[in-house]
Amino acid sequence: MSITSLSSAAVLTRPIARPPTRAQIVPPELRVADAPAAAVFRVACARGPIARDIAAKITGLSTATVNRQVSALLAEGLLRERADLTASGAVGRPRVPFEVNHEPYLTIGIHIGAVVTGIVASDLRGKILGSVEVPTPAGPQDRALSQISRSAKLFASRWHRRRPLWVGVALGGRVDATTGRVDHPRLGWLGAPVGAIIGEGLGLPVSVAAHVEAMAASELLLAPQRPGDSGTDGTSLYFYARETAGVAVTIDGRVHTPSSGPGSIVHLSTGSSALCACGARGCLEATVSDRATIAAAKEAGILTETDERPAIAAVYRAAAAGSIPAHELLVERARVLGRTVAMLRDLFNPDRVILGGQAFTEYPAGIPHVAEAFARTSSLARKDIRITGFGNRVQEFAAGVVSLSTLYSDPLTSIRRVVSQ
């Protein structure tokens, strides 16, 4: 059964002239930084509480270098010592374990989706403290962004004992990370001043990133390491599918971020009969997106609700409840995804492939069909292929990592930037 899209392209909104922004717009650092302060802070996030000599072995830095970095990070309030955990009989300060001083601070991450916007609060270790979803506002881009900014500020106020340090925004479309401006055809945004409005609204330094690139960065910076795999060596292909589809590539611990913005696979041909808004048939987004799946479910009589905007969850529920047509619809989508991933994998030949997004995680019964289609299509020997460990919270961690990436890359400069505001 083919999946048909009934969507049409949004008309881009003409940008409105704005006065110079007061926001600090800082391009995100979607990479594993190797500077000494970053390395020590990273090991504290992942392994703390940890002794200095153990940190030196893990990072490859000398004990003297680790001591200097720990002292500097302690002075800025980013680390704290745990004298209560010092081993009995130990002599000297280097044996006092240290950890991230996560309790006084938080960062705010915002994932702006085509339908829903998610807002998360993260501590400095990347742990999500809380999250909320709001409908992505319609209407003029500046007004929509102001509404999102107000929602985020209200959400951040729940943690009145923590100081917000940074805000990160992840979203689709063409992102200029330097200016924080975004072209988002689906939302009808053109040159939308995302960084300026969000940064000014929250009064914080702000970073803006393309959402699939941010998801790939979350695998580098926030995901637990697998045994024998640092996750920073070689190449990775991150493939995302939900309301849209996209890919990102990481090379030796750094997300590849083209200067002209991320590439697009939304019009990649799948061979289906789905009609795309571009006028062609078989485009990937028009075949596998949530809205395309909903449209196909309506056409097949799977969705009988009177609601004019049923959620994709209704299709998942129908399949889980035993609806054969719903199951077949989702299986066909899984097969298209498997073939597409295989084609891209053969093109890039990465060391590992990571699959993310609710098109994979919300219907586990479809995963064997993804794997089967992948195996039949790929001509290369199978390597490391996995589903993201973030499950259906991948958008939350993507937003969170954008809010943390600059701090992780250069913690001392970043915290001084905030303090000097």
Side-chain angles (χ1 to χ4, degrees):
M1 180 181 298
S2 64
I3 303 176
T4 305
S5 171
L6 301 182
S7 64
S8 59
V11 177
L12 293 177
T13 302
R14 185 182 301 275
I16 299 173
R18 290 176 53 84
T21 178
R22 297 185 301 274
Q24 293 189 61
I25 301 172
V26 184
E29 295 281 351
L30 306 182
R31 64 189 178 97
V32 177
D34 55 6
V40 170
F41 192 71
R42 184 168 64 251
V43 78
C45 288
R47 305 287 188 92
I50 188 171
R52 289 165 172 78
D53 57 342
I54 303 300
K57 291 178 182 178
I58 294 173
T59 61
L61 300 171
S62 69
T63 302
T65 299
V66 170
N67 283 336
R68 286 195 297 272
Q69 301 306 320
V70 169
S71 295
L73 291 164
L74 285 169
E76 296 294 344
L78 290 173
L79 296 182
R80 64 185 181 188
E81 292 184 316
R82 294 293 305 275
D84 57 309
L85 299 179
T86 305
S88 177
V91 178
R93 192 172 183 180
R95 296 303 303 172
V96 178
F98 65 90
E99 66 181 5
V100 175
N101 189 21
H102 58 89
E103 292 177 348
Y105 306 114
L106 60 77
T107 63
I108 298 297
I110 303 171
H111 178 268
I112 302 176
V115 178
V116 173
T117 291
I119 306 170
V120 302
S122 304
D123 71 15
L124 299 191
R125 301 168 299 179
K127 308 295 183 183
I128 292 179
L129 302 172
S131 62
V132 67
E133 287 188 340
V134 297
T136 299
Q141 58 194 34
D142 284 26
R143 187 174 68 189
L145 285 165
S146 294
Q147 288 181 248
I148 292 171
S149 178
R150 287 193 294 271
S151 295
K153 188 170 185 177
L154 180 62
F155 178 72
S157 68
R158 298 181 183 181
W159 288 272
H160 58 277
R161 294 184 179 180
R162 290 178 180 260
R163 178 178 181 177
L165 297 181
W166 213 277
V167 57
V169 186
L171 72 169
R174 292 279 179 178
V175 176
D176 185 329
T178 301
T179 64
R181 287 186 172 271
V182 178
D183 295 339
H184 198 307
R186 181 77 192 283
L187 293 176
W189 294 358
L190 182 61
V194 175
I197 292 178
I198 300 294
E200 288 177 5
L202 276 79
L204 297 171
V206 59
S207 298
V208 185
H211 66 165
V212 182
E213 292 177 354
M215 292 170 195
S218 70
E219 298 289 336
L220 290 175
L221 296 172
L222 300 181
Q225 293 181 6
R226 293 170 54 158
D229 179 15
S230 68
T232 62
D233 298 327
T235 57
S236 298
L237 175 70
Y238 189 95
F239 185 102
Y240 170 79
R242 187 189 188 184
E243 190 54 50
T244 186
V247 293
V249 175
T250 64
I251 304 171
D252 293 335
R254 178 189 291 267
V255 179
H256 176 56
T257 53
S259 58
S260 59
S264 173
I265 60 171
V266 298
H267 297 295
L268 199 66
S269 178
T270 66
S272 79
S273 61
L275 178 62
C276 182
C278 72
R281 290 191 178 273
C283 294
L284 181 63
E285 185 176 290
T287 303
V288 302
S289 69
D290 282 0
R291 65 187 184 280
T293 305
I294 292 169
K298 286 181 177 179
E299 184 178 338
I302 297 166
L303 297 180
T304 58
E305 295 93 342
T306 56
D307 185 358
E308 295 182 359
R309 298 183 62 185
I312 186 64
V315 183
Y316 295 137
R317 287 195 299 268
S323 168
I324 299 300
H327 173 73
E328 290 178 346
L329 184 68
L330 295 174
V331 164
E332 176 59 21
R333 180 173 68 165
R335 289 171 178 158
V336 171
L337 288 169
R339 292 194 296 268
T340 304
V341 173
M343 182 179 66
L344 293 170
R345 185 281 183 114
D346 284 9
L347 176 65
F348 291 102
N349 193 20
D351 297 301
R352 62 189 69 83
V353 177
I354 304 169
L355 308 178
Q358 283 78 351
F360 296 107
T361 58
E362 285 296 282
Y363 192 59
I367 295 302
H369 299 281
V370 173
E372 181 185 9
F374 178 93
R376 284 201 316 268
T377 305
S378 178
S379 61
L380 300 179
R382 180 162 181 167
K383 292 183 181 178
D384 183 357
I385 304 168
R386 68 184 81 158
I387 304 291
T388 178
F390 295 128
N392 61 5
R393 305 188 77 185
V394 63
Q395 292 89 359
E396 296 178 9
F397 282 97
V401 82
V402 179
S403 71
L404 290 162
S405 67
T406 303
L407 186 69
Y408 282 5
S409 177
D410 191 348
L412 294 173
T413 299
S414 297
I415 193 66
R416 290 164 186 163
R417 182 194 297 268
V418 175
V419 171
S420 65
Q421 287 195 125

